[in-house]
Amino acid sequence: MPKPTLFGAIERPRSLPDEVAQSVMSAIATGALKPGDKLPSEAELSANFNVARTVVREAISLLKFDGVVDSRRGVGAFVANREERTSFRISPACFEKRREIIKLLQLRTSVQSGAAALAAELRSDTQMEVIEAVLQELLVANAKGPEDALEERVEAELRLYRLITAASENEYFCDVVNMIEANIQNYLRSAFMKNAAASEFEPGAIMEHKAVVAAIKNKAPEAARAATRTRFTNASNSLAARQDFA
Amino acid sequence: MPKPTLFGAIERPRSLPDEVAQSVMSAIATGALKPGDKLPSEAELSANFNVARTVVREAISLLKFDGVVDSRRGVGAFVANREERTSFRISPACFEKRREIIKLLQLRTSVQSGAAALAAELRSDTQMEVIEAVLQELLVANAKGPEDALEERVEAELRLYRLITAASENEYFCDVVNMIEANIQNYLRSAFMKNAAASEFEPGAIMEHKAVVAAIKNKAPEAARAATRTRFTNASNSLAARQDFA
DNA sequence: GATTAGCAGTTGTCTGACAACCTACATTGT
DNA sequence: ACAATGTAGGTTGTCAGACAACTGCTAATC
């Protein structure tokens, strides 16, 4: 039996390196540390935060990994230019303001549209079969209505567009979509998001899904691109238009 | 006087944590380590690689940071599912095969098109003035021809599309475009790429740039989107069609 | 038989030390 | 005076060992 959520999840203390890294990161974000500035030495940071130098080192190494800082042995660590960052990641902070979610969905719309167009061009027949099967699952789940099959339907939709992206034969599209989805899934398991998902049980949304799949089946890249954009733009708009949207 | 390249750049030994991280990463990529598998303990890894445990710890912490592995105190570190990765980054390896560059440019085309559409919608008048000024710079540099102003022209083009992206008022687009550009700039300073850039000194390319800017000026999102896609698709195609493209 | 206590193994953090390296200044030779 | 050289101090990179916090399992205990 699934454990009832009797107690709220306790917040486990995050690791020290993460906290140090985030602290330095926010100093950079707020402009307290500008590109080119020298970070305090590891010894100083270690004293300031009252942690061991190994902790500081791990924190700095994370920032280096993303190209946020650049350290030179014997000299020090410096804040890099914003254009030199070598990774794209979504900060948890962005989920605090719901306005930010819209921006994230805008990016996803763009990427997903491009992936759909490529998929329409490059898909194999077996990939097409799987995509159509998942669409069928989505239709079945949708017919059950929001009360019975919400999770099932959301999961099917997720899988559908993952498969479409995979059919683009371009791992970069897959990675970006994956990451955006992962972040949304992680941070937005809220009642708000469930309500939003439930509101997608409409004939219109289903028609749009069908249009996307049909275009890919017909090997019509431009149609697939347009249909995908329509679908995701509508989803984003209906989210923004909700009463409970802060 | 600029030092003549008498000696080739010596290859400095990369940091040990990076090497360990990459080694583990490639073990995951090749499937030697599958999602859910337990990594060897830090002590074992430290013995295998013949490095200190701090080095192994830094390496693991990098992978954790990207959501590639997940470690639990008292238990061990485990390979995470591919869908749980929390960052998008471009591996240097992808520049070894030029085929991969095309895929990267496909992604960039998608993102840049979306950004242009948003920019057409949201741009301010002052932003527009700056964009037009940079376009003018580009035209001037272009008139000088490939021999005299190659760097200048490439730089202007870069700045132009950065500004357009910034006008979208969506930092996610900026970050993705920034990162892709940074990687291309870092790894592709080769003669090959210079030749490719030189081949962009054509009337057609210029016309396409103008079309993008005009659409943004007219606040025509769809036109901006289409023009941008045309421009970048053509650039990608002409790159792929080159003789020296492996 | 169920509960509890302990044990071995693992990750997280701390401490101290040394190596590799850079910068700036002093030293020296011309 | 000036250039080359050496030296000292500071910083990052790596190493080694220790202990704390935690987990899963096993054996002892009631």
Side-chain angles (χ1 to χ4, degrees):
Chain A
M1 129 181 186
K3 67 181 71 173
T5 60
L6 187 51
F7 302 103
I10 63 172
E11 57 190 61
R12 321 213 350 155
R14 280 185 314 142
S15 76
L16 294 181
D18 278 0
E19 291 205 54
V20 172
Q22 189 158 347
S23 179
V24 174
M25 192 66 180
S26 69
I28 295 173
T30 62
L33 282 172
K34 293 184 180 58
D37 284 359
K38 183 175 176 304
L39 267 64
S41 73
E42 294 177 355
E44 286 183 66
L45 287 174
S46 141
N48 284 350
F49 288 110
N50 198 27
V51 295
R53 193 162 82 95
T54 51
V55 172
V56 172
R57 280 196 59 75
E58 265 191 37
I60 301 292
S61 82
L62 297 184
L63 300 181
K64 265 192 307 184
F65 196 39
D66 277 6
V68 175
V69 310
D70 181 40
S71 69
R72 294 197 305 264
R73 178 195 209 125
V75 183
F78 300 85
V79 180
N81 294 322
R82 199 178 165 77
E83 307 92 48
E84 290 171 2
R85 302 195 178 176
T86 57
S87 91
F88 170 64
R89 68 177 0 118
I90 298 164
S91 70
C94 86
F95 290 98
E96 289 165 9
K97 302 176 197 162
R98 283 176 180 162
R99 195 81 208 137
E100 292 295 301
I101 300 173
I102 299 297
K103 292 187 179 178
L104 199 55
L105 293 179
Q106 286 175 342
L107 175 63
R108 207 216 151 163
T109 302
S110 245
V111 175
Q112 188 74 59
S113 307
L118 281 172
E121 205 174 339
L122 301 172
R123 69 168 181 76
S124 70
D125 289 345
T126 53
Q127 282 171 328
M128 196 64 230
E129 284 175 25
V130 179
I131 288 172
E132 287 185 303
V134 174
L135 174 63
Q136 204 57 39
E137 285 181 42
L138 176 58
L139 297 181
V140 171
N142 196 74
K144 294 181 186 172
E147 297 79 15
D148 295 334
L150 200 154
E151 279 291 338
E152 193 181 335
R153 189 199 168 286
V154 168
E155 195 273 338
E157 179 175 341
L158 209 67
R159 220 165 63 238
L160 174 62
Y161 284 96
R162 258 201 237 278
L163 284 169
I164 291 175
T165 309
S168 74
E169 299 292 346
N170 185 322
E171 74 222 52
Y172 300 117
F173 281 95
C174 296
D175 286 347
V176 172
V177 170
N178 251 340
M179 191 203 48
I180 296 176
E181 280 297 342
N183 277 277
I184 293 179
Q185 292 291 320
N186 280 346
Y187 292 99
L188 265 62
R189 294 199 175 282
S190 60
F192 166 72
M193 214 48 191
K194 286 204 172 144
N195 288 340
S199 75
E200 292 287 306
F201 279 76
E202 313 165 349
I206 295 300
M207 289 285 288
E208 291 169 1
H209 289 305
K210 282 184 182 172
V212 171
V213 173
I216 295 173
K217 188 181 178 73
N218 295 337
K219 301 209 170 197
E222 291 313 316
R225 194 196 312 276
T228 305
R229 191 164 58 243
T230 300
R231 170 73 210 105
F232 281 83
T233 303
N234 284 346
S236 175
N237 286 345
S238 74
L239 184 69
R242 289 183 60 79
Q243 304 292 349
D244 52 355
F245 191 80
Chain B
M1 115 180 190
K3 68 180 72 173
T5 60
L6 188 51
F7 301 103
I10 63 172
E11 57 190 63
R12 319 207 359 150
R14 279 187 315 141
S15 77
L16 295 180
D18 278 0
E19 291 205 55
V20 172
Q22 189 158 347
S23 179
V24 174
M25 192 67 181
S26 69
I28 295 173
T30 61
L33 283 171
K34 293 183 181 59
D37 285 357
K38 184 175 175 304
L39 266 64
S41 74
E42 293 177 355
E44 287 182 66
L45 287 174
S46 143
N48 283 352
F49 287 109
N50 199 28
V51 294
R53 193 161 81 94
T54 52
V55 171
V56 173
R57 279 195 59 75
E58 266 192 36
I60 302 292
S61 81
L62 297 184
L63 300 181
K64 267 193 304 185
F65 197 39
D66 278 7
V68 174
V69 311
D70 181 40
S71 69
R72 294 197 305 266
R73 174 194 225 147
V75 184
F78 301 85
V79 179
N81 294 323
R82 200 178 164 77
E83 308 91 48
E84 290 171 2
R85 301 195 180 178
T86 57
S87 92
F88 170 64
R89 68 178 0 116
I90 298 164
S91 69
C94 87
F95 290 99
E96 289 164 9
K97 303 175 194 162
R98 284 176 179 164
R99 194 82 208 134
E100 293 293 304
I101 300 172
I102 300 297
K103 292 186 179 179
L104 201 53
L105 293 179
Q106 286 175 342
L107 176 63
R108 208 217 150 164
T109 301
S110 242
V111 175
Q112 188 74 58
S113 307
L118 280 172
E121 206 173 337
L122 301 173
R123 68 168 181 78
S124 69
D125 289 344
T126 54
Q127 282 171 329
M128 195 65 230
E129 283 176 26
V130 179
I131 289 173
E132 286 185 303
V134 174
L135 175 62
Q136 204 58 37
E137 285 181 42
L138 176 59
L139 296 181
V140 170
N142 195 75
K144 295 183 187 170
E147 297 79 16
D148 295 333
L150 202 153
E151 278 291 338
E152 193 181 336
R153 188 200 170 285
V154 168
E155 196 273 339
E157 178 175 342
L158 209 67
R159 220 164 66 237
L160 174 63
Y161 284 98
R162 257 200 237 280
L163 283 168
I164 292 175
T165 309
S168 75
E169 298 293 345
N170 185 321
E171 74 222 53
Y172 299 118
F173 281 95
C174 296
D175 286 348
V176 173
V177 170
N178 251 341
M179 191 200 52
I180 296 177
E181 279 297 342
N183 276 278
I184 293 179
Q185 292 291 320
N186 279 346
Y187 291 101
L188 264 62
R189 293 201 175 280
S190 59
F192 167 71
M193 215 47 189
K194 287 208 172 142
N195 289 340
S199 75
E200 293 286 307
F201 280 76
E202 313 165 351
I206 295 299
M207 290 285 288
E208 290 169 1
H209 289 305
K210 283 184 181 173
V212 171
V213 174
I216 294 174
K217 189 181 178 69
N218 296 337
K219 301 211 170 196
E222 291 314 314
R225 193 197 312 277
T228 305
R229 189 163 59 243
T230 300
R231 170 73 208 106
F232 281 83
T233 304
N234 283 347
S236 175
N237 286 345
S238 76
L239 183 69
R242 288 183 60 80
Q243 304 291 350
D244 52 355
F245 191 80

